[in-house]
Amino acid sequence: MRGIVAIVGRPNVGKSTLFNRLIEDRKAIVDDQSGVTRDRHYGTSHWIGSDFIVIDTGGYVHGSEDMFEAAIREQVHIAIEEADVILFMVDVLTGVMPLDREFANVVRKSKKPVFLVANKADNYERDQLIYEFYELGMGDPYPVSSVNGSGTGELLDVVIASFPTDPIKGPEDGLPKFAFVGRPNVGKSSLVNALLGHDRNIVTPISGTTRDSIYTRYSGFGIDSYLIDTAGLRKKARVRESSENVEFYSTLRSIRAIEECDVAFLMLDASQGLESQDLNILHTIVTNGKGLVILVNKWDLMEKKTNTARDFEAVINEKIAPLSGIPIVFISAMDKQRILKAMQVGVEVYHEKNKRVPTSQLNEVMQAAWQAHRPAAIRGKFIRIKYVTQIPAKIPTFLFFTNHPKLIQENYKRYLENQLRANFGFRGVPINIFFRDKNKT
Ligand code: GDP
Ligand code: GDP
């Protein structure tokens, strides 16, 4: 899972210089025509086995002096919200400035790891200038030269070591969290707005972003949950929909939303069907162990014949194989058709994900399954399965005890999974199956 590192600090300390040094692909999101990307730059970086995303919060803010400062302040808050690790940058040549102190007060309150980066420490003499930054109360400053690269290795060592191993956050009151993900323009915002009954994208004049929290409480029709919208910060009126940068941005938002949700709604545009980008997102959902519902939106635009939905479903299932049993709902966010049905299916998937099958019932059913179809003998060895139990985990996880755990073939594992699904459901939920030696516990 990729962590997100945000570089914050006042103007001219060298944020964008460090950013450019860290990112591998210099084509970070820099799109002057978009209101969103103007105030942040994104890129991916790599250090000793870790991939991560870097955000440069600087620059691209226009307007009066007051507006400028206000916008930067807001960026610091947004960065703290969205990032996993904060690099708080100061400049050894200027020493501590009033705005540094102000930002330090904000950043210090963040529960996330914060590293104080003392930039422009280009040589040994300048390394001695870092001590003054202890007054910010942010621990040891890391001397760095963004221009020549010195100190960046030491910094990245501690950054990657501090990535959260369990990035789940947000409300923990036990209500389902739903993410709406998919390519730009499939109708994510329209659906969220239709569910909430109002348009919650409000442009703020300062930076062109919305102030909405990424989580919106959704209660209605007996469903109590949180909605996570990936399009919330994107101002469609000002984003060129064809831009690669926008695509990258929404992918980034998708990854974050997927990390935070219980169940993801992967939205498709009925006129486009399921394409490779959708499969990438789908893969991210499944490998993150999240529940999945596919929503085929804009169904109102389709000319319907007798089996249109069934045929459409068959094509999707073919493309997502070997995944199976993923619920697919045909909706129209515009006409508010079956949007409640979609939510109900999402809630079902949420419950399926948390379902536990009693061990006795599990063994009764699965014993019949492995007796009806025994694993093939391998190199003259007979494989027997003795016992199965569901163990506590984030996704339904089953432990099968056998005399030869290493000899179980992939297709037999799939058979067991299909039997579990056929008998117990788990629709829209990834299942984990492990085999263990029956003589060990
Ligand atoms: P930002 O506004 O924080 O993004 O700062 P910039 O990255 O635009 O840098 C501001 C100025 O500081 C530019 O002139 C950079 O060349 C210079 N600068 C950035 N990093 C270093 C550094 O490590 N050493 C020195 N000597 N100058 C630097
Ligand atoms: P997002 O980028 O995924 O958030 O997509 P939007 O919600 O901004 O929708 C993109 C465009 O598709 C807008 O012009 C919507 O009006 C339109 N749209 C969304 N849902 C539907 C739908 O169910 N039917 C039709 N015909 N158009 C829709």
PDB file of all heavy atoms in Angstrom, residues 25-34 36-37 42-44 182-185 234 238-253 277:
ATOM      1  N   ASP A  25       8.707  10.368 -11.811  1.00  0.00           N
ATOM      2  CA  ASP A  25       8.113  10.800 -13.050  1.00  0.00           C
ATOM      3  C   ASP A  25       7.868  12.304 -12.945  1.00  0.00           C
ATOM      4  O   ASP A  25       7.022  12.759 -12.202  1.00  0.00           O
ATOM      5  CB  ASP A  25       6.790  10.052 -13.254  1.00  0.00           C
ATOM      6  CG  ASP A  25       6.143  10.429 -14.557  1.00  0.00           C
ATOM      7  OD1 ASP A  25       6.728  11.271 -15.278  1.00  0.00           O
ATOM      8  OD2 ASP A  25       5.074   9.909 -14.847  1.00  0.00           O
ATOM      9  N   ARG A  26       8.652  13.071 -13.686  1.00  0.00           N
ATOM     10  CA  ARG A  26       8.566  14.532 -13.559  1.00  0.00           C
ATOM     11  C   ARG A  26       7.229  15.079 -14.035  1.00  0.00           C
ATOM     12  O   ARG A  26       6.917  16.229 -13.823  1.00  0.00           O
ATOM     13  CB  ARG A  26       9.698  15.211 -14.331  1.00  0.00           C
ATOM     14  CG  ARG A  26      11.066  14.836 -13.829  1.00  0.00           C
ATOM     15  CD  ARG A  26      11.389  15.551 -12.509  1.00  0.00           C
ATOM     16  NE  ARG A  26      12.147  14.662 -11.638  1.00  0.00           N
ATOM     17  CZ  ARG A  26      13.439  14.759 -11.372  1.00  0.00           C
ATOM     18  NH1 ARG A  26      14.123  15.725 -11.885  1.00  0.00           N
ATOM     19  NH2 ARG A  26      14.040  13.905 -10.592  1.00  0.00           N
ATOM     20  N   LYS A  27       6.460  14.231 -14.683  1.00  0.00           N
ATOM     21  CA  LYS A  27       5.145  14.666 -15.138  1.00  0.00           C
ATOM     22  C   LYS A  27       4.127  14.582 -13.995  1.00  0.00           C
ATOM     23  O   LYS A  27       3.121  13.935 -14.089  1.00  0.00           O
ATOM     24  CB  LYS A  27       4.655  13.771 -16.280  1.00  0.00           C
ATOM     25  CG  LYS A  27       4.987  14.314 -17.651  1.00  0.00           C
ATOM     26  CD  LYS A  27       4.198  13.585 -18.723  1.00  0.00           C
ATOM     27  CE  LYS A  27       3.909  12.214 -18.312  1.00  0.00           C
ATOM     28  NZ  LYS A  27       3.650  11.130 -19.022  1.00  0.00           N
ATOM     29  N   ALA A  28       4.467  15.174 -12.900  1.00  0.00           N
ATOM     30  CA  ALA A  28       3.502  15.190 -11.798  1.00  0.00           C
ATOM     31  C   ALA A  28       2.321  16.035 -12.236  1.00  0.00           C
ATOM     32  O   ALA A  28       2.388  16.715 -13.252  1.00  0.00           O
ATOM     33  CB  ALA A  28       4.139  15.790 -10.571  1.00  0.00           C
ATOM     34  N   ILE A  29       1.269  15.973 -11.474  1.00  0.00           N
ATOM     35  CA  ILE A  29       0.095  16.740 -11.879  1.00  0.00           C
ATOM     36  C   ILE A  29       0.399  18.230 -11.803  1.00  0.00           C
ATOM     37  O   ILE A  29       0.544  18.793 -10.745  1.00  0.00           O
ATOM     38  CB  ILE A  29      -1.118  16.403 -10.997  1.00  0.00           C
ATOM     39  CG1 ILE A  29      -1.589  15.001 -11.325  1.00  0.00           C
ATOM     40  CG2 ILE A  29      -2.235  17.402 -11.226  1.00  0.00           C
ATOM     41  CD1 ILE A  29      -2.867  14.620 -10.646  1.00  0.00           C
ATOM     42  N   VAL A  30       0.565  18.825 -12.950  1.00  0.00           N
ATOM     43  CA  VAL A  30       0.728  20.268 -13.018  1.00  0.00           C
ATOM     44  C   VAL A  30      -0.142  20.691 -14.185  1.00  0.00           C
ATOM     45  O   VAL A  30       0.210  20.513 -15.329  1.00  0.00           O
ATOM     46  CB  VAL A  30       2.191  20.676 -13.309  1.00  0.00           C
ATOM     47  CG1 VAL A  30       2.315  22.192 -13.319  1.00  0.00           C
ATOM     48  CG2 VAL A  30       3.139  20.093 -12.291  1.00  0.00           C
ATOM     49  N   ASP A  31      -1.290  21.149 -13.879  1.00  0.00           N
ATOM     50  CA  ASP A  31      -2.227  21.468 -14.941  1.00  0.00           C
ATOM     51  C   ASP A  31      -2.826  22.824 -14.637  1.00  0.00           C
ATOM     52  O   ASP A  31      -3.692  22.962 -13.806  1.00  0.00           O
ATOM     53  CB  ASP A  31      -3.310  20.392 -15.012  1.00  0.00           C
ATOM     54  CG  ASP A  31      -4.220  20.604 -16.206  1.00  0.00           C
ATOM     55  OD1 ASP A  31      -4.221  21.726 -16.749  1.00  0.00           O
ATOM     56  OD2 ASP A  31      -4.928  19.685 -16.584  1.00  0.00           O
ATOM     57  N   ASP A  32      -2.299  23.815 -15.334  1.00  0.00           N
ATOM     58  CA  ASP A  32      -2.704  25.184 -15.055  1.00  0.00           C
ATOM     59  C   ASP A  32      -4.178  25.443 -15.268  1.00  0.00           C
ATOM     60  O   ASP A  32      -4.741  26.380 -14.730  1.00  0.00           O
ATOM     61  CB  ASP A  32      -1.890  26.148 -15.926  1.00  0.00           C
ATOM     62  CG  ASP A  32      -0.580  26.490 -15.245  1.00  0.00           C
ATOM     63  OD1 ASP A  32      -0.460  26.161 -14.042  1.00  0.00           O
ATOM     64  OD2 ASP A  32       0.289  27.071 -15.884  1.00  0.00           O
ATOM     65  N   GLN A  33      -4.793  24.613 -16.086  1.00  0.00           N
ATOM     66  CA  GLN A  33      -6.195  24.878 -16.391  1.00  0.00           C
ATOM     67  C   GLN A  33      -7.136  24.313 -15.340  1.00  0.00           C
ATOM     68  O   GLN A  33      -8.322  24.532 -15.390  1.00  0.00           O
ATOM     69  CB  GLN A  33      -6.531  24.289 -17.750  1.00  0.00           C
ATOM     70  CG  GLN A  33      -5.913  25.099 -18.868  1.00  0.00           C
ATOM     71  CD  GLN A  33      -6.455  24.639 -20.190  1.00  0.00           C
ATOM     72  OE1 GLN A  33      -6.107  23.583 -20.676  1.00  0.00           O
ATOM     73  NE2 GLN A  33      -7.340  25.431 -20.749  1.00  0.00           N
ATOM     74  N   SER A  34      -6.600  23.549 -14.429  1.00  0.00           N
ATOM     75  CA  SER A  34      -7.499  22.938 -13.467  1.00  0.00           C
ATOM     76  C   SER A  34      -7.407  23.641 -12.137  1.00  0.00           C
ATOM     77  O   SER A  34      -6.335  23.977 -11.656  1.00  0.00           O
ATOM     78  CB  SER A  34      -7.151  21.465 -13.307  1.00  0.00           C
ATOM     79  OG  SER A  34      -6.505  21.265 -12.082  1.00  0.00           O
ATOM     80  N   VAL A  36      -8.098  22.407  -9.295  1.00  0.00           N
ATOM     81  CA  VAL A  36      -7.685  21.524  -8.216  1.00  0.00           C
ATOM     82  C   VAL A  36      -6.190  21.365  -8.149  1.00  0.00           C
ATOM     83  O   VAL A  36      -5.569  21.502  -7.110  1.00  0.00           O
ATOM     84  CB  VAL A  36      -8.285  20.118  -8.418  1.00  0.00           C
ATOM     85  CG1 VAL A  36      -7.752  19.181  -7.354  1.00  0.00           C
ATOM     86  CG2 VAL A  36      -9.781  20.191  -8.370  1.00  0.00           C
ATOM     87  N   THR A  37      -5.621  21.080  -9.307  1.00  0.00           N
ATOM     88  CA  THR A  37      -4.218  20.697  -9.326  1.00  0.00           C
ATOM     89  C   THR A  37      -3.327  21.906  -9.139  1.00  0.00           C
ATOM     90  O   THR A  37      -2.151  21.773  -8.879  1.00  0.00           O
ATOM     91  CB  THR A  37      -3.882  20.021 -10.662  1.00  0.00           C
ATOM     92  OG1 THR A  37      -4.328  20.877 -11.700  1.00  0.00           O
ATOM     93  CG2 THR A  37      -4.570  18.692 -10.759  1.00  0.00           C
ATOM     94  N   TYR A  42       1.417  16.315  -7.280  1.00  0.00           N
ATOM     95  CA  TYR A  42       1.546  14.934  -6.861  1.00  0.00           C
ATOM     96  C   TYR A  42       2.584  14.223  -7.699  1.00  0.00           C
ATOM     97  O   TYR A  42       2.736  14.503  -8.868  1.00  0.00           O
ATOM     98  CB  TYR A  42       0.221  14.182  -7.091  1.00  0.00           C
ATOM     99  CG  TYR A  42      -0.912  14.625  -6.241  1.00  0.00           C
ATOM    100  CD1 TYR A  42      -1.714  15.683  -6.637  1.00  0.00           C
ATOM    101  CD2 TYR A  42      -1.200  13.976  -5.060  1.00  0.00           C
ATOM    102  CE1 TYR A  42      -2.773  16.097  -5.858  1.00  0.00           C
ATOM    103  CE2 TYR A  42      -2.267  14.377  -4.281  1.00  0.00           C
ATOM    104  CZ  TYR A  42      -3.045  15.442  -4.678  1.00  0.00           C
ATOM    105  OH  TYR A  42      -4.089  15.839  -3.910  1.00  0.00           O
ATOM    106  N   GLY A  43       3.213  13.249  -7.103  1.00  0.00           N
ATOM    107  CA  GLY A  43       4.094  12.399  -7.876  1.00  0.00           C
ATOM    108  C   GLY A  43       4.372  11.132  -7.097  1.00  0.00           C
ATOM    109  O   GLY A  43       4.085  11.050  -5.897  1.00  0.00           O
ATOM    110  N   THR A  44       4.927  10.142  -7.771  1.00  0.00           N
ATOM    111  CA  THR A  44       5.282   8.928  -7.042  1.00  0.00           C
ATOM    112  C   THR A  44       6.784   8.866  -6.861  1.00  0.00           C
ATOM    113  O   THR A  44       7.552   9.375  -7.683  1.00  0.00           O
ATOM    114  CB  THR A  44       4.824   7.652  -7.775  1.00  0.00           C
ATOM    115  OG1 THR A  44       5.410   7.641  -9.074  1.00  0.00           O
ATOM    116  CG2 THR A  44       3.315   7.615  -7.890  1.00  0.00           C
ATOM    117  N   GLY A 182     -14.167   5.045  -9.600  1.00  0.00           N
ATOM    118  CA  GLY A 182     -14.332   4.823 -11.029  1.00  0.00           C
ATOM    119  C   GLY A 182     -13.707   5.961 -11.792  1.00  0.00           C
ATOM    120  O   GLY A 182     -13.241   6.939 -11.202  1.00  0.00           O
ATOM    121  N   ARG A 183     -13.731   5.826 -13.082  1.00  0.00           N
ATOM    122  CA  ARG A 183     -13.112   6.829 -13.931  1.00  0.00           C
ATOM    123  C   ARG A 183     -13.855   8.167 -13.829  1.00  0.00           C
ATOM    124  O   ARG A 183     -15.006   8.199 -13.420  1.00  0.00           O
ATOM    125  CB  ARG A 183     -13.147   6.342 -15.379  1.00  0.00           C
ATOM    126  CG  ARG A 183     -12.051   5.341 -15.680  1.00  0.00           C
ATOM    127  CD  ARG A 183     -12.160   4.859 -17.098  1.00  0.00           C
ATOM    128  NE  ARG A 183     -13.130   3.793 -17.230  1.00  0.00           N
ATOM    129  CZ  ARG A 183     -13.837   3.567 -18.323  1.00  0.00           C
ATOM    130  NH1 ARG A 183     -13.714   4.348 -19.377  1.00  0.00           N
ATOM    131  NH2 ARG A 183     -14.683   2.551 -18.376  1.00  0.00           N
ATOM    132  N   PRO A 184     -13.205   9.247 -14.240  1.00  0.00           N
ATOM    133  CA  PRO A 184     -13.906  10.521 -14.270  1.00  0.00           C
ATOM    134  C   PRO A 184     -15.160  10.423 -15.143  1.00  0.00           C
ATOM    135  O   PRO A 184     -15.144   9.686 -16.144  1.00  0.00           O
ATOM    136  CB  PRO A 184     -12.899  11.482 -14.909  1.00  0.00           C
ATOM    137  CG  PRO A 184     -11.569  10.863 -14.701  1.00  0.00           C
ATOM    138  CD  PRO A 184     -11.805   9.382 -14.685  1.00  0.00           C
ATOM    139  N   ASN A 185     -16.209  11.105 -14.734  1.00  0.00           N
ATOM    140  CA  ASN A 185     -17.418  11.225 -15.559  1.00  0.00           C
ATOM    141  C   ASN A 185     -18.358  10.035 -15.572  1.00  0.00           C
ATOM    142  O   ASN A 185     -19.341  10.049 -16.312  1.00  0.00           O
ATOM    143  CB  ASN A 185     -17.056  11.518 -17.012  1.00  0.00           C
ATOM    144  CG  ASN A 185     -17.031  12.997 -17.244  1.00  0.00           C
ATOM    145  OD1 ASN A 185     -17.863  13.713 -16.695  1.00  0.00           O
ATOM    146  ND2 ASN A 185     -16.070  13.453 -18.021  1.00  0.00           N
ATOM    147  N   ARG A 234     -12.647  17.586  -6.671  1.00  0.00           N
ATOM    148  CA  ARG A 234     -12.416  17.947  -8.066  1.00  0.00           C
ATOM    149  C   ARG A 234     -13.522  18.876  -8.547  1.00  0.00           C
ATOM    150  O   ARG A 234     -14.692  18.547  -8.464  1.00  0.00           O
ATOM    151  CB  ARG A 234     -12.398  16.682  -8.917  1.00  0.00           C
ATOM    152  CG  ARG A 234     -12.025  16.903 -10.345  1.00  0.00           C
ATOM    153  CD  ARG A 234     -11.804  15.581 -11.014  1.00  0.00           C
ATOM    154  NE  ARG A 234     -12.996  14.733 -10.938  1.00  0.00           N
ATOM    155  CZ  ARG A 234     -14.003  14.819 -11.774  1.00  0.00           C
ATOM    156  NH1 ARG A 234     -13.979  15.674 -12.758  1.00  0.00           N
ATOM    157  NH2 ARG A 234     -15.045  14.034 -11.649  1.00  0.00           N
ATOM    158  N   ARG A 238     -13.787  23.180 -13.885  1.00  0.00           N
ATOM    159  CA  ARG A 238     -12.474  23.743 -14.172  1.00  0.00           C
ATOM    160  C   ARG A 238     -11.439  22.679 -14.498  1.00  0.00           C
ATOM    161  O   ARG A 238     -10.264  22.973 -14.641  1.00  0.00           O
ATOM    162  CB  ARG A 238     -12.021  24.588 -12.988  1.00  0.00           C
ATOM    163  CG  ARG A 238     -12.904  25.824 -12.832  1.00  0.00           C
ATOM    164  CD  ARG A 238     -12.905  26.307 -11.420  1.00  0.00           C
ATOM    165  NE  ARG A 238     -11.651  26.973 -11.085  1.00  0.00           N
ATOM    166  CZ  ARG A 238     -11.393  27.450  -9.892  1.00  0.00           C
ATOM    167  NH1 ARG A 238     -12.256  27.321  -8.931  1.00  0.00           N
ATOM    168  NH2 ARG A 238     -10.246  28.037  -9.662  1.00  0.00           N
ATOM    169  N   VAL A 239     -11.843  21.461 -14.584  1.00  0.00           N
ATOM    170  CA  VAL A 239     -10.899  20.399 -14.895  1.00  0.00           C
ATOM    171  C   VAL A 239     -11.132  19.924 -16.314  1.00  0.00           C
ATOM    172  O   VAL A 239     -12.251  19.635 -16.698  1.00  0.00           O
ATOM    173  CB  VAL A 239     -11.070  19.212 -13.923  1.00  0.00           C
ATOM    174  CG1 VAL A 239     -10.193  18.051 -14.346  1.00  0.00           C
ATOM    175  CG2 VAL A 239     -10.735  19.642 -12.512  1.00  0.00           C
ATOM    176  N   ARG A 240     -10.069  19.891 -17.095  1.00  0.00           N
ATOM    177  CA  ARG A 240     -10.197  19.326 -18.428  1.00  0.00           C
ATOM    178  C   ARG A 240     -10.334  17.821 -18.288  1.00  0.00           C
ATOM    179  O   ARG A 240      -9.446  17.152 -17.788  1.00  0.00           O
ATOM    180  CB  ARG A 240      -8.967  19.652 -19.274  1.00  0.00           C
ATOM    181  CG  ARG A 240      -9.105  20.894 -20.105  1.00  0.00           C
ATOM    182  CD  ARG A 240      -7.920  21.062 -21.030  1.00  0.00           C
ATOM    183  NE  ARG A 240      -6.668  20.951 -20.296  1.00  0.00           N
ATOM    184  CZ  ARG A 240      -5.669  20.163 -20.650  1.00  0.00           C
ATOM    185  NH1 ARG A 240      -5.772  19.421 -21.728  1.00  0.00           N
ATOM    186  NH2 ARG A 240      -4.557  20.125 -19.951  1.00  0.00           N
ATOM    187  N   GLU A 241     -11.458  17.288 -18.718  1.00  0.00           N
ATOM    188  CA  GLU A 241     -11.738  15.878 -18.462  1.00  0.00           C
ATOM    189  C   GLU A 241     -10.782  14.953 -19.208  1.00  0.00           C
ATOM    190  O   GLU A 241     -10.569  13.821 -18.819  1.00  0.00           O
ATOM    191  CB  GLU A 241     -13.188  15.549 -18.844  1.00  0.00           C
ATOM    192  CG  GLU A 241     -14.225  16.320 -18.052  1.00  0.00           C
ATOM    193  CD  GLU A 241     -14.244  15.953 -16.569  1.00  0.00           C
ATOM    194  OE1 GLU A 241     -13.449  15.086 -16.166  1.00  0.00           O
ATOM    195  OE2 GLU A 241     -15.029  16.561 -15.833  1.00  0.00           O
ATOM    196  N   SER A 242     -10.202  15.447 -20.282  1.00  0.00           N
ATOM    197  CA  SER A 242      -9.331  14.588 -21.066  1.00  0.00           C
ATOM    198  C   SER A 242      -7.910  14.513 -20.495  1.00  0.00           C
ATOM    199  O   SER A 242      -7.111  13.689 -20.885  1.00  0.00           O
ATOM    200  CB  SER A 242      -9.263  15.121 -22.495  1.00  0.00           C
ATOM    201  OG  SER A 242      -8.768  16.447 -22.457  1.00  0.00           O
ATOM    202  N   SER A 243      -7.623  15.414 -19.569  1.00  0.00           N
ATOM    203  CA  SER A 243      -6.247  15.511 -19.088  1.00  0.00           C
ATOM    204  C   SER A 243      -5.791  14.268 -18.343  1.00  0.00           C
ATOM    205  O   SER A 243      -6.472  13.743 -17.483  1.00  0.00           O
ATOM    206  CB  SER A 243      -6.138  16.744 -18.186  1.00  0.00           C
ATOM    207  OG  SER A 243      -5.074  16.597 -17.311  1.00  0.00           O
ATOM    208  N   GLU A 244      -4.593  13.811 -18.676  1.00  0.00           N
ATOM    209  CA  GLU A 244      -3.976  12.688 -17.973  1.00  0.00           C
ATOM    210  C   GLU A 244      -3.833  12.986 -16.488  1.00  0.00           C
ATOM    211  O   GLU A 244      -3.914  12.109 -15.643  1.00  0.00           O
ATOM    212  CB  GLU A 244      -2.535  12.487 -18.461  1.00  0.00           C
ATOM    213  CG  GLU A 244      -2.366  11.646 -19.664  1.00  0.00           C
ATOM    214  CD  GLU A 244      -0.912  11.635 -20.085  1.00  0.00           C
ATOM    215  OE1 GLU A 244      -0.050  11.913 -19.233  1.00  0.00           O
ATOM    216  OE2 GLU A 244      -0.668  11.368 -21.264  1.00  0.00           O
ATOM    217  N   ASN A 245      -3.575  14.251 -16.204  1.00  0.00           N
ATOM    218  CA  ASN A 245      -3.354  14.635 -14.821  1.00  0.00           C
ATOM    219  C   ASN A 245      -4.586  14.423 -13.975  1.00  0.00           C
ATOM    220  O   ASN A 245      -4.508  14.012 -12.832  1.00  0.00           O
ATOM    221  CB  ASN A 245      -2.945  16.105 -14.766  1.00  0.00           C
ATOM    222  CG  ASN A 245      -1.620  16.321 -15.462  1.00  0.00           C
ATOM    223  OD1 ASN A 245      -0.852  15.382 -15.605  1.00  0.00           O
ATOM    224  ND2 ASN A 245      -1.372  17.533 -15.895  1.00  0.00           N
ATOM    225  N   VAL A 246      -5.723  14.706 -14.566  1.00  0.00           N
ATOM    226  CA  VAL A 246      -6.976  14.522 -13.854  1.00  0.00           C
ATOM    227  C   VAL A 246      -7.197  13.034 -13.588  1.00  0.00           C
ATOM    228  O   VAL A 246      -7.609  12.628 -12.510  1.00  0.00           O
ATOM    229  CB  VAL A 246      -8.149  15.123 -14.646  1.00  0.00           C
ATOM    230  CG1 VAL A 246      -9.464  14.761 -13.988  1.00  0.00           C
ATOM    231  CG2 VAL A 246      -7.987  16.624 -14.744  1.00  0.00           C
ATOM    232  N   GLU A 247      -6.841  12.259 -14.569  1.00  0.00           N
ATOM    233  CA  GLU A 247      -6.946  10.806 -14.436  1.00  0.00           C
ATOM    234  C   GLU A 247      -6.087  10.327 -13.259  1.00  0.00           C
ATOM    235  O   GLU A 247      -6.538   9.559 -12.403  1.00  0.00           O
ATOM    236  CB  GLU A 247      -6.435  10.158 -15.734  1.00  0.00           C
ATOM    237  CG  GLU A 247      -6.743   8.700 -15.849  1.00  0.00           C
ATOM    238  CD  GLU A 247      -8.222   8.460 -16.065  1.00  0.00           C
ATOM    239  OE1 GLU A 247      -8.764   9.015 -17.027  1.00  0.00           O
ATOM    240  OE2 GLU A 247      -8.804   7.742 -15.253  1.00  0.00           O
ATOM    241  N   PHE A 248      -4.880  10.798 -13.226  1.00  0.00           N
ATOM    242  CA  PHE A 248      -3.963  10.414 -12.166  1.00  0.00           C
ATOM    243  C   PHE A 248      -4.504  10.863 -10.810  1.00  0.00           C
ATOM    244  O   PHE A 248      -4.462  10.126  -9.833  1.00  0.00           O
ATOM    245  CB  PHE A 248      -2.590  11.016 -12.419  1.00  0.00           C
ATOM    246  CG  PHE A 248      -1.582  10.660 -11.373  1.00  0.00           C
ATOM    247  CD1 PHE A 248      -1.217   9.340 -11.183  1.00  0.00           C
ATOM    248  CD2 PHE A 248      -1.018  11.635 -10.585  1.00  0.00           C
ATOM    249  CE1 PHE A 248      -0.298   8.992 -10.208  1.00  0.00           C
ATOM    250  CE2 PHE A 248      -0.095  11.301  -9.604  1.00  0.00           C
ATOM    251  CZ  PHE A 248       0.263   9.986  -9.418  1.00  0.00           C
ATOM    252  N   TYR A 249      -5.010  12.081 -10.806  1.00  0.00           N
ATOM    253  CA  TYR A 249      -5.562  12.626  -9.571  1.00  0.00           C
ATOM    254  C   TYR A 249      -6.712  11.768  -9.063  1.00  0.00           C
ATOM    255  O   TYR A 249      -6.766  11.414  -7.887  1.00  0.00           O
ATOM    256  CB  TYR A 249      -6.045  14.059  -9.807  1.00  0.00           C
ATOM    257  CG  TYR A 249      -6.695  14.676  -8.607  1.00  0.00           C
ATOM    258  CD1 TYR A 249      -5.916  15.143  -7.546  1.00  0.00           C
ATOM    259  CD2 TYR A 249      -8.069  14.787  -8.513  1.00  0.00           C
ATOM    260  CE1 TYR A 249      -6.501  15.701  -6.437  1.00  0.00           C
ATOM    261  CE2 TYR A 249      -8.663  15.341  -7.403  1.00  0.00           C
ATOM    262  CZ  TYR A 249      -7.874  15.801  -6.366  1.00  0.00           C
ATOM    263  OH  TYR A 249      -8.457  16.343  -5.262  1.00  0.00           O
ATOM    264  N   SER A 250      -7.617  11.405  -9.969  1.00  0.00           N
ATOM    265  CA  SER A 250      -8.754  10.618  -9.494  1.00  0.00           C
ATOM    266  C   SER A 250      -8.329   9.204  -9.100  1.00  0.00           C
ATOM    267  O   SER A 250      -8.921   8.599  -8.217  1.00  0.00           O
ATOM    268  CB  SER A 250      -9.916  10.610 -10.493  1.00  0.00           C
ATOM    269  OG  SER A 250      -9.453  10.400 -11.781  1.00  0.00           O
ATOM    270  N   THR A 251      -7.277   8.705  -9.737  1.00  0.00           N
ATOM    271  CA  THR A 251      -6.745   7.408  -9.323  1.00  0.00           C
ATOM    272  C   THR A 251      -6.208   7.485  -7.902  1.00  0.00           C
ATOM    273  O   THR A 251      -6.469   6.615  -7.077  1.00  0.00           O
ATOM    274  CB  THR A 251      -5.607   6.973 -10.268  1.00  0.00           C
ATOM    275  OG1 THR A 251      -6.105   6.976 -11.599  1.00  0.00           O
ATOM    276  CG2 THR A 251      -5.102   5.590  -9.923  1.00  0.00           C
ATOM    277  N   LEU A 252      -5.493   8.562  -7.644  1.00  0.00           N
ATOM    278  CA  LEU A 252      -4.958   8.774  -6.301  1.00  0.00           C
ATOM    279  C   LEU A 252      -6.081   8.821  -5.272  1.00  0.00           C
ATOM    280  O   LEU A 252      -6.009   8.202  -4.209  1.00  0.00           O
ATOM    281  CB  LEU A 252      -4.188  10.090  -6.294  1.00  0.00           C
ATOM    282  CG  LEU A 252      -3.517  10.477  -4.990  1.00  0.00           C
ATOM    283  CD1 LEU A 252      -2.225   9.722  -4.823  1.00  0.00           C
ATOM    284  CD2 LEU A 252      -3.258  11.965  -4.961  1.00  0.00           C
ATOM    285  N   ARG A 253      -7.123   9.561  -5.631  1.00  0.00           N
ATOM    286  CA  ARG A 253      -8.274   9.649  -4.720  1.00  0.00           C
ATOM    287  C   ARG A 253      -8.937   8.287  -4.562  1.00  0.00           C
ATOM    288  O   ARG A 253      -9.415   7.961  -3.485  1.00  0.00           O
ATOM    289  CB  ARG A 253      -9.295  10.661  -5.229  1.00  0.00           C
ATOM    290  CG  ARG A 253      -8.753  12.036  -5.475  1.00  0.00           C
ATOM    291  CD  ARG A 253      -8.525  12.809  -4.228  1.00  0.00           C
ATOM    292  NE  ARG A 253      -9.682  12.794  -3.354  1.00  0.00           N
ATOM    293  CZ  ARG A 253      -9.751  13.430  -2.209  1.00  0.00           C
ATOM    294  NH1 ARG A 253      -8.744  14.132  -1.800  1.00  0.00           N
ATOM    295  NH2 ARG A 253     -10.815  13.361  -1.473  1.00  0.00           N
ATOM    296  N   GLN A 277      -8.721   0.190 -17.216  1.00  0.00           N
ATOM    297  CA  GLN A 277      -8.571   1.059 -16.043  1.00  0.00           C
ATOM    298  C   GLN A 277      -9.490   0.630 -14.910  1.00  0.00           C
ATOM    299  O   GLN A 277      -9.147   0.725 -13.732  1.00  0.00           O
ATOM    300  CB  GLN A 277      -8.915   2.493 -16.404  1.00  0.00           C
ATOM    301  CG  GLN A 277      -7.912   3.167 -17.275  1.00  0.00           C
ATOM    302  CD  GLN A 277      -8.439   4.510 -17.731  1.00  0.00           C
ATOM    303  OE1 GLN A 277      -9.208   5.155 -17.028  1.00  0.00           O
ATOM    304  NE2 GLN A 277      -8.052   4.929 -18.903  1.00  0.00           N
TER     305      GLN A 277
END
